[in-house]
Amino acid sequence: MSLSIETREQAIEADRNDPLASFRDRFVLPDDVIYLDGNSLGPLPRRVVDRMTATIRDEWGEGLVRSWVDADWINLPEQVGDKIARLIGAGPDEVIAADSTSVNLFKLLSAALSLRPERRVIVSQKGNFPSDLYIAQGLSDLLDRGHELRLVDNNNLIDTIDQDTAVVMLTQVDYRSGHLQDMAAITAAAHESGALIIWDLAHSAGALPIDLNGAGADFAVGCGYKFLNGGPGAPGYLYVAQRHQDAIKPILSGWMGHKDRFAFDPVYQPADGIKRQLCGTPTILSLAALDEALDVMLEADIDQLRAKSLALSRMFIDLVECNAAGHDFELASPRDDARRGSQVSFHHQHGYSIVQALIARGVIGDFRAPDILRFGMTPLYTRYVDIWDAVAALSDVMATSAWDKPEFTHRAAVT
Ligand SMILES: *Cc1c(COP(=O)(O)O)cnc(C)c1O
């Protein structure tokens, strides 16, 4: 097998030539850690520390309730939404940051189903993130109108969409395998059958170029704490194409989505546009962190990010298959760059213990049941030499059977 990078020196050389290299210093990263889990929880951008200090000490501490206006807290959900819009090919008034991905999906699935009242089928992926499927199940039960959740493999989606399909609800990048869907083709197929589409961008936004409007998408949701580096429990966001915004009657009709919040009108009337998707009071501290983190992300060129993500991924695949050959790793991610998001996953029957043994050496990836080792590729702060060193650690863990110790088999509450 021919590798593009065959020595540690070549990896260091690739870092020297990397146009994104300077971004690494913008993050707090412990010296003894190689972080390949930014797709689960992004690291802390340095400038977020100062922003949080100012938001807490000055805006909250000194400004108190006045900061809703003086520090413009009240418009933070739209401000953050506008920044995310630039990463996902949406217009400025089409995205708003609020709530969690799961809650936002509940809102938009309910909206989409109400726009297709004659149809009963929701098409999604068998391997979709469970919360997405649970939300569809819970909402169907609540509506009690006989909706069917039709789950299929990633490769059979288009053939499954038919005249009964109300909504196609898909995660663009599969959280286990990293399989990347063709957004334009599937959106077109959904529309051809008269169905609406909801994209979950949890594992794609901030990792690769996305063009929701170019694809003609209807709705989307996504996550603030993964590739967007907004911090633990950062708010999610939602996208509603302009053409649908005023046709939706929000199911979570809270006061923040009211037309005139401070009229304290006893009767709910939805605000115009995307604002009606707000429900309760925005989580200002988390939003401020996400807002600041997005400024770092928006400085980077998304095409350069994608190119480096693919280069890191190819390097990782090649090195694992070369250096850990004979240790039963089976690639779980698509080999084709065009079909892979920004992570590399392998099957291994001892996956959990191997991941624990790697973490003990400072190489942080994660494990997804039943047998997936998952490594996120985050080009803003991951270097080529990190990939080299991570694979060296993996090879050593396998060669010495270091994973086969009792302390690495006990399952923690969070994997
Ligand atoms: C991470 C993730 C979520 C998380 O949802 P929360 O409500 O933020 O916990 C949802 N869907 C997908 C596809 C994810 O990857």
Side-chain angles (χ1 to χ4, degrees):
M1 185 185 300
S2 76
L3 300 181
S4 49
I5 291 179
E6 294 178 351
T7 64
R8 194 167 191 277
E9 286 64 39
Q10 285 174 357
I12 292 169
E13 181 62 22
D15 286 320
R16 221 173 272 133
N17 297 326
D18 172 13
L20 298 170
S22 66
F23 280 95
R24 181 175 169 87
D25 277 346
R26 315 279 295 275
F27 291 87
V28 175
L29 291 163
D31 285 336
D32 52 355
V33 160
I34 296 176
Y35 197 56
L36 302 179
D37 213 4
N39 54 333
S40 185
L41 175 67
L44 171 63
R46 290 187 192 282
R47 58 193 286 168
V48 169
V49 177
D50 295 336
R51 171 72 176 270
M52 293 308 279
T53 304
T55 302
I56 292 172
R57 196 185 50 203
D58 306 337
E59 295 176 12
W60 179 15
E62 299 292 325
L64 293 161
V65 76
R66 293 169 290 190
S67 288
W68 283 105
V69 173
D70 294 348
D72 209 22
W73 285 351
I74 196 67
N75 291 314
L76 206 45
E78 288 108 303
Q79 180 180 316
V80 172
D82 287 350
K83 289 182 184 180
I84 295 170
R86 290 159 58 191
L87 293 171
I88 60 178
D93 297 316
E94 291 184 311
V95 179
I96 201 153
D99 304 311
S100 65
T101 307
S102 306
V103 171
N104 288 328
L105 189 61
F106 181 84
K107 298 181 206 171
L108 295 190
L109 183 57
S110 134
L113 291 175
S114 74
L115 295 173
R116 290 292 178 275
E118 310 305 323
R119 298 180 176 215
R120 290 286 179 274
V121 175
I122 303 165
V123 170
S124 192
Q125 297 134 310
K126 247 185 219 155
N128 201 348
F129 191 73
S131 196
D132 296 35
L133 303 180
Y134 302 161
I135 289 292
Q137 293 160 27
L139 179 61
S140 301
D141 288 349
L142 175 70
L143 295 174
D144 200 18
R145 288 173 30 217
H147 285 105
E148 174 200 342
L149 182 57
R150 195 175 288 168
L151 301 180
V152 289
D153 290 335
N154 275 322
N155 295 320
N156 297 328
L157 288 163
I158 287 184
D159 294 341
T160 307
I161 303 168
D162 63 18
Q163 304 298 318
D164 298 327
T165 307
V167 179
V168 181
M169 179 188 86
L170 302 177
T171 297
Q172 190 187 11
V173 170
D174 185 296
Y175 77 104
R176 277 204 196 88
S177 69
H179 184 118
L180 167 65
Q181 297 294 347
D182 184 339
M183 177 180 279
I186 299 176
T187 300
H191 289 169
E192 214 163 284
S193 293
L196 293 165
I197 194 150
I198 305 176
W199 287 103
D200 187 331
L201 310 177
H203 286 281
S204 43
L208 44 98
I210 297 173
D211 191 2
L212 286 170
N213 282 342
D218 300 295
F219 305 101
V221 295
C223 212
Y225 51 80
K226 292 173 178 160
F227 288 97
L228 302 188
N229 308 316
Y237 56 90
L238 59 81
Y239 155 92
V240 179
Q242 200 84 51
R243 64 185 177 281
H244 295 309
Q245 288 182 0
D246 290 329
I248 294 171
K249 194 164 172 287
I251 187 166
L252 298 182
S253 44
W255 75 303
M256 280 290 142
H258 192 278
K259 206 176 183 53
D260 189 358
R261 294 161 179 162
F262 286 88
F264 297 108
D265 180 357
V267 178
Y268 177 75
Q269 289 183 69
D272 292 335
I274 194 76
K275 273 208 303 218
R276 68 178 57 183
Q277 296 301 333
L278 292 178
C279 180
T281 304
T283 53
I284 296 302
L285 299 184
S286 300
L287 270 171
L290 176 58
D291 185 55
E292 200 67 27
L294 283 163
D295 287 344
V296 180
M297 176 115 253
L298 285 166
E299 278 179 45
D301 179 296
I302 193 77
D303 293 315
Q304 280 181 358
L305 278 178
R306 175 64 170 159
K308 184 178 169 191
S309 152
L310 291 175
L312 294 171
S313 301
R314 276 195 301 269
M315 178 183 168
F316 188 79
I317 294 170
D318 288 349
L319 286 174
V320 170
E321 291 187 339
C322 213
N323 298 2
H327 287 290
D328 295 328
F329 287 102
E330 186 199 333
L331 185 65
S333 300
R335 206 172 280 279
D336 175 6
D337 283 355
R339 297 268 59 85
R340 192 175 63 243
S342 199
Q343 69 184 65
V344 175
S345 304
F346 287 94
H347 296 283
H348 196 290
Q349 72 176 118
H350 302 302
Y352 183 79
S353 305
I354 295 168
V355 166
Q356 295 312 305
L358 281 172
I359 292 173
R361 289 166 191 232
V363 178
I364 303 183
D366 61 23
F367 172 78
R368 287 293 173 262
D371 67 346
I372 297 261
L373 298 91
R374 187 174 74 156
F375 302 95
M377 300 293 145
T378 46
L380 276 182
Y381 48 86
T382 301
R383 297 167 299 195
Y384 292 91
V385 74
D386 295 325
I387 298 301
W388 181 274
D389 291 343
V391 178
L394 177 66
S395 306
D396 190 62
V397 160
M398 299 316 294
T400 60
S401 298
W403 57 270
D404 194 10
K405 292 189 180 150
E407 71 255 38
F408 297 141
T409 55
H410 174 74
R411 293 268 171 118
V414 175
T415 65

